[in-house]
Amino acid sequence: MPESKKGWDWEITSKTSYWGWSMREIWSYRHLLGSLVRRDFLLSYQQTVLGPLWILLQPLLTLVTYVLVFGKLVGVSTGNLPPVLFYFSGIVLWSLFSDSFGGTSNTFRDNAQVFSKVYFPRLIVPLAVTSTQFFRFFIQFVMLLLLIGYYWAFQDLPSPFSLITLAFPFAVICTAGIGLGLGLLFSVITAKYRDIAGTVTLGIRLFMYLTPVIYPLESLPEKYRWMVQLNPLTPLFELNRLSLLGEGTVTAGQLLYSIIFMIVVLSGAMLVFNKQSDKLIDVV
Amino acid sequence: MGDVVIEVENLSKLYRLGTIGTGSLRQDLQRWWTTSVLKQEDPFFQAHGTEALAANKQSILALQNINFKVNQGEVLGIIGSNGSGKSTLLKIISRIVRPTKGAVRGRGSVSSLLEVGTGFHKELTGRENVYISGYILGMSKSEIREKFDEIVAFSGVEAFIDTPVKRYSSGMYVRLAFAVAAHLEPDILIVDEVLAVGDADFQKKCLGKMRETSQTDGRTILFVSHSMQAINNLCDKALWLNQGKMMELGEVSSVVNKYIMGIQQFKLKQEWSTPAEAPGNDFIRFKSVELVPQLSTPDAPLDIRTPLTVKFQFWNMTDDVLLSTSLLLFSYGGECIFDVLSPASRCDKGLVEGECNIPGNFLNDGSYYFSIIVVKDTSVELYNYEECLSVDVEDYRENIQWYGKWWGAVRPKFPFRLHQKEMAFQQ
């Protein structure tokens, strides 16, 4: 029926495609994205005593725990760097990854009610979650800079900034991209098989120990280092530390590996998400 | 009126039943293997056809070969009992779910209003909710900003616009939510039963607004409601769905009449051929119960003027017993409206028949149900056949300017006179 297809603005059939979404449509919903980010902020801190201060308090409390447990009790080496800076730079980047991943992996389960009542590009929701995490990351990052400034001024930390500092945004974007990509992929899976959701939370937590967040890659015995190096996040976390604190081991080849991994996961996940999102409404 | 803006062609929707559990992963993998790797036909859909799949009870056909077209500026009412596929149809046209077969094509922008307050969050203020809900429903920032005052005025919650909506009364919440929706300006608007909430005044305001926009802006509206009055008032055409199939499509009043007749025929008679399967006990088994409306013409609606006859037959299992029967009428809320007793009659084993007439101009509009109790020796209850019949009585008013719900469980037409006794100030 090629004739009947002429002149229609839209058509809905059983076929969903990998390429069905358009940037223009997502752009037209940009205000929705903005207000979802705003909503997430308002909701997290409404009727709390400390309000938005929690954005800083959460990583600071984690920092205290790490300094006490891994620094003092277990005695994990942090190289030549002060443990506070070492842990905090890792925590900040790690929470960007884990919250982007964890937050987007429940997209369908958390929004089943709205998704079943109105159409809008579903991708807006995970994008909003990631944007929120970026915003939180930025605030925490400013805190990290203040800490670095303090150590530089009063604790004789040599100025850590150099040309390589310019690579920092790259590490951040790549990390968030991998988090979003994995989150999108798992949102499709958790929509169908609910028990996976619990596994995701646990998996992320365990995965942290395979990433040089609380230890430098260098401190690992040569024998086991390859295991951690297989993790595409490893070069990014080393780069993160190298660019901000001046200490970290990473090569261009390893970084290339991370980039390729991110591009493959993110674009693959977007395609799968796009193909599946309309079908999943029947299931959730 | 003119161009076709929506075309629904051969639309079917199949839902898989049962829980999605371990079985489904295996099925999914199996399906993926046959379709994607072996490039064969989908074993779950094409092999047997959707109808066969529905027949084996693994799934239900929520919609079956639906075909229709809607012209620009038309208001199409969709009617049908619960589970007839109305909501599924709206969800497919709104792009929320995908059909299993067939296609929907359209021109212009679509907004759907399947519930009141989509995107509302109780912790946020009224103002924030207006924006977020407006964005979700597809409005642009400038559009909302422009209409914000109008929306708030329409809802009548000006004083509370910066209060979290969790502190609103449910009426205020609904008003605000609906006010956002009422200011949508898509080419095609899809509305599902949302008028069921809110008070009567507000409903009227919303219906008026919808009617107005379809006439002045040439907006096309698809409208689902259980209220035949609302459908009749608002729509030009109606589509009647029953168990996923199209029953009628056409001019609104004729479809509505056929629908009312159709559901009545379905409910008004129950019959059993053998005592074994009939409802009852060792003493009494009902053979049939039937409600016969005395309609002036065969296709007239059953309304408050219609006299009704309740006919029933039962098998009496004991010889030489003094039987009488009670006919009870209940309102839909469960309140007993009357209990009429038949004269007692001495009966032997065999079939006993009874009949009771309820005059016209006695019941109010609304839903009622009947129970029949068979009594022995005018004192001992043998069998109470509860809720054996139900009836929907339609409203009818003549020369009355008032359209609200008529009060009371019954609306009898007692002799009532009103006349001028004397003129004032007249010598």
Side-chain angles (χ1 to χ4, degrees):
Chain A
M1 298 154 280
E3 208 176 42
S4 65
K5 281 181 187 166
K6 266 184 214 158
W8 296 104
D9 293 346
W10 44 267
E11 184 180 31
I12 302 162
T13 60
S14 63
K15 289 199 172 48
T16 56
S17 78
Y18 290 105
W19 296 107
W21 56 286
S22 70
M23 276 320 276
R24 205 179 344 143
E25 192 186 21
I26 290 179
W27 179 246
S28 72
Y29 278 91
R30 65 191 179 282
H31 294 303
L32 175 60
L33 194 149
S35 64
L36 286 177
V37 171
R38 209 177 116 77
R39 183 188 74 178
D40 284 349
F41 260 96
L42 289 171
L43 290 184
S44 334
Y45 305 113
Q46 219 151 50
Q47 292 198 352
T48 58
V49 179
L50 297 171
L53 273 182
W54 276 109
I55 296 177
L56 294 176
L57 229 72
Q58 265 161 356
L60 284 177
L61 289 176
T62 318
L63 174 68
V64 172
T65 323
Y66 285 3
V67 168
L68 289 178
V69 175
F70 298 116
K72 303 272 188 243
L73 274 174
V74 186
V76 178
S77 138
T78 57
N80 301 321
L81 294 170
V84 169
L85 290 186
F86 185 96
Y87 290 137
F88 200 72
S89 68
I91 289 166
V92 169
L93 191 63
W94 180 259
S95 59
L96 174 67
F97 169 77
S98 74
D99 293 348
S100 301
F101 184 177
T104 50
S105 72
N106 283 329
T107 302
F108 287 98
R109 277 161 30 102
D110 294 348
N111 297 282
Q113 174 61 18
V114 177
F115 282 5
S116 67
K117 293 296 180 191
V118 65
Y119 172 82
F120 57 90
R122 308 307 189 203
L123 195 60
I124 292 284
V125 173
L127 286 180
V129 171
T130 313
S131 309
T132 312
Q133 297 310 331
F134 256 114
F135 194 79
R136 287 165 59 97
F137 170 81
F138 184 75
I139 296 172
Q140 294 169 351
F141 172 65
V142 171
M143 175 84 197
L144 175 62
L145 286 184
L146 291 176
L147 277 177
I148 293 174
Y150 169 81
Y151 272 87
W152 172 75
F154 301 105
Q155 305 280 328
D156 300 329
L157 181 82
S159 169
F161 301 115
S162 63
L163 214 58
I164 203 134
T165 309
L166 296 175
F168 173 72
F170 170 80
V172 175
I173 289 168
C174 257
T175 309
I178 293 176
L180 174 63
L182 291 176
L184 288 177
L185 217 50
F186 274 89
S187 70
V188 172
I189 300 172
T190 55
K192 277 196 144 180
Y193 314 108
R194 304 204 145 202
D195 46 351
I196 305 286
T199 326
V200 170
T201 327
L202 187 69
I204 293 177
R205 210 171 294 162
L206 292 177
F207 195 50
M208 192 185 85
Y209 297 100
L210 277 181
T211 312
V213 177
I214 49 161
Y215 56 83
L217 185 62
E218 288 245 287
S219 72
L220 288 180
E222 204 83 43
K223 276 198 293 193
Y224 302 117
R225 211 174 282 177
W226 64 271
M227 282 192 344
V228 176
Q229 271 170 334
L230 266 185
N231 176 356
L233 289 177
T234 301
L236 299 174
F237 276 77
E238 288 292 317
L239 178 66
N240 166 48
R241 210 145 39 223
L242 181 65
S243 61
L244 288 180
L245 305 172
E247 207 163 278
T249 35
V250 62
T251 64
Q254 288 166 340
L255 279 177
L256 194 68
Y257 167 63
S258 297
I259 301 171
I260 291 172
F261 184 86
M262 187 213 47
I263 292 173
V264 170
V265 165
L266 189 57
S267 49
M270 288 229 193
L271 296 180
V272 170
F273 186 88
N274 189 47
K275 172 92 177 159
Q276 294 292 335
S277 60
D278 282 351
K279 292 183 181 174
L280 287 174
I281 308 299
D282 287 345
V283 183
V284 288
Chain B
M1 307 272 165
D3 295 355
V4 177
V5 288
I6 302 176
E7 181 187 78
V8 174
E9 186 189 290
N10 242 333
L11 200 72
S12 295
K13 175 71 186 176
L14 186 92
Y15 278 110
R16 279 158 81 187
L17 291 180
T19 49
I20 313 275
T22 45
S24 98
L25 180 59
R26 205 192 64 222
Q27 274 188 2
D28 288 350
L29 288 175
Q30 196 183 337
R31 246 179 90 189
W32 173 79
W33 179 256
T34 31
T35 54
S36 304
V37 181
L38 302 177
K39 298 285 174 206
Q40 286 172 358
E41 291 211 316
D42 191 324
F44 288 89
F45 285 88
Q46 266 71 39
H48 324 282
T50 44
E51 283 82 3
L53 194 61
N56 71 16
K57 308 268 178 195
Q58 297 257 311
S59 32
I60 52 162
L61 266 174
L63 290 174
Q64 216 171 328
N65 294 325
I66 307 292
N67 286 285
F68 65 91
K69 287 177 183 168
V70 187
N71 292 328
Q72 199 208 335
E74 237 169 29
V75 184
L76 176 72
I78 302 172
I79 55 180
S81 50
N82 289 327
S84 57
K86 304 183 301 271
S87 297
T88 307
L89 179 60
L90 291 196
K91 280 189 177 181
I92 291 173
I93 301 174
S94 316
R95 258 184 100 175
I96 294 165
V97 296
R98 294 294 186 136
T100 312
K101 253 176 31 186
V104 183
R105 302 185 190 92
R107 294 195 178 91
S109 61
V110 181
S111 279
S112 51
L113 208 56
L114 304 191
E115 103 192 311
V116 167
T118 308
F120 263 53
H121 200 292
K122 61 182 173 31
E123 299 283 344
L124 298 179
T125 66
R127 181 184 305 274
E128 282 153 355
N129 272 316
V130 167
Y131 273 91
I132 204 160
S133 160
Y135 291 142
I136 280 190
L137 294 172
M139 288 166 106
S140 71
K141 191 170 190 165
S142 53
E143 230 181 309
I144 302 179
R145 202 171 271 167
E146 200 178 293
K147 291 185 194 143
F148 186 82
D149 293 334
E150 209 182 313
I151 290 173
V152 177
F154 188 85
S155 69
V157 300
E158 289 96 334
F160 307 98
I161 196 67
D162 288 311
T163 309
V165 296
K166 66 177 171 185
R167 309 211 200 289
Y168 281 27
S169 72
S170 56
M172 283 158 65
Y173 181 92
V174 166
R175 279 157 176 273
L176 185 64
F178 204 90
V180 180
H183 289 78
L184 285 170
E185 285 181 351
D187 301 317
I188 300 167
L189 181 65
I190 296 174
V191 185
D192 187 6
E193 200 75 69
V194 284
L195 292 170
V197 293
D199 54 75
D201 271 354
F202 194 68
Q203 281 183 15
K204 219 154 137 193
K205 205 163 147 187
C206 296
L207 283 177
K209 178 105 186 158
M210 274 167 68
R211 174 101 233 162
E212 183 192 306
T213 54
S214 103
Q215 280 165 350
T216 55
D217 310 345
R219 180 158 311 142
T220 310
I221 300 179
L222 304 192
F223 180 61
V224 162
S225 179
H226 277 120
S227 158
M228 292 305 128
Q229 225 166 348
I231 295 270
N232 257 329
N233 282 340
L234 192 68
C235 304
D236 311 308
K237 279 167 82 179
L239 167 68
W240 169 18
L241 292 179
N242 187 25
Q243 300 189 331
K245 291 188 196 128
M246 267 173 77
M247 302 296 284
E248 284 294 331
L249 172 68
E251 196 268 319
V252 63
S253 58
S254 87
V255 176
V256 167
N257 275 347
K258 280 179 187 158
Y259 168 69
I260 291 171
M261 292 304 295
I263 52 171
Q264 280 166 1
Q265 275 156 15
F266 175 64
K267 279 185 190 170
L268 293 183
K269 187 166 186 184
Q270 298 196 71
E271 197 168 12
W272 295 269
S273 44
T274 62
E277 61 192 16
N281 54 24
D282 292 345
F283 308 105
I284 301 295
R285 292 275 171 182
F286 271 87
K287 180 168 190 283
S288 68
V289 284
E290 191 181 0
L291 190 69
V292 188
Q294 271 118 59
L295 302 168
S296 48
T297 55
D299 60 346
L302 194 169
D303 64 29
I304 56 161
R305 296 169 299 169
T306 315
L308 301 170
T309 303
V310 177
K311 290 181 177 174
F312 58 90
Q313 294 185 333
F314 59 83
W315 288 287
N316 172 29
M317 310 294 206
T318 29
D319 270 328
D320 190 30
V321 59
L322 187 67
L323 291 181
S324 53
T325 48
S326 252
L327 178 71
L328 286 85
L329 180 79
F330 294 89
S331 73
Y332 204 70
E335 195 186 353
C336 184
I337 291 160
F338 64 63
D339 178 359
V340 185
L341 194 67
S342 74
S345 152
R346 194 154 287 280
C347 302
D348 284 326
K349 268 185 195 161
L351 208 55
V352 181
E353 190 179 45
E355 190 177 311
C356 178
N357 291 310
I358 300 165
N361 289 312
F362 172 69
L363 296 177
N364 198 354
D365 68 298
S367 300
Y368 296 92
Y369 61 89
F370 291 94
S371 294
I372 299 173
I373 303 178
V374 183
V375 180
K376 182 178 132 187
D377 298 332
T378 65
S379 57
V380 183
E381 179 179 312
L382 286 180
Y383 180 62
N384 180 356
Y385 188 12
E386 289 180 80
E387 297 173 32
C388 55
L389 290 169
S390 67
V391 62
D392 289 321
V393 180
E394 291 294 314
D395 197 9
Y396 177 80
R397 291 172 201 191
E398 219 171 11
N399 305 326
I400 288 170
Q401 295 291 321
W402 186 64
Y403 298 101
K405 168 79 180 111
W406 203 287
W407 281 27
V410 290
R411 201 199 288 185
K413 212 172 185 178
F414 292 141
F416 200 156
R417 283 178 306 138
L418 186 70
H419 62 95
Q420 184 109 37
K421 181 112 183 209
E422 60 186 27
M423 299 291 224
F425 313 119
Q426 214 172 36
Q427 286 330 115

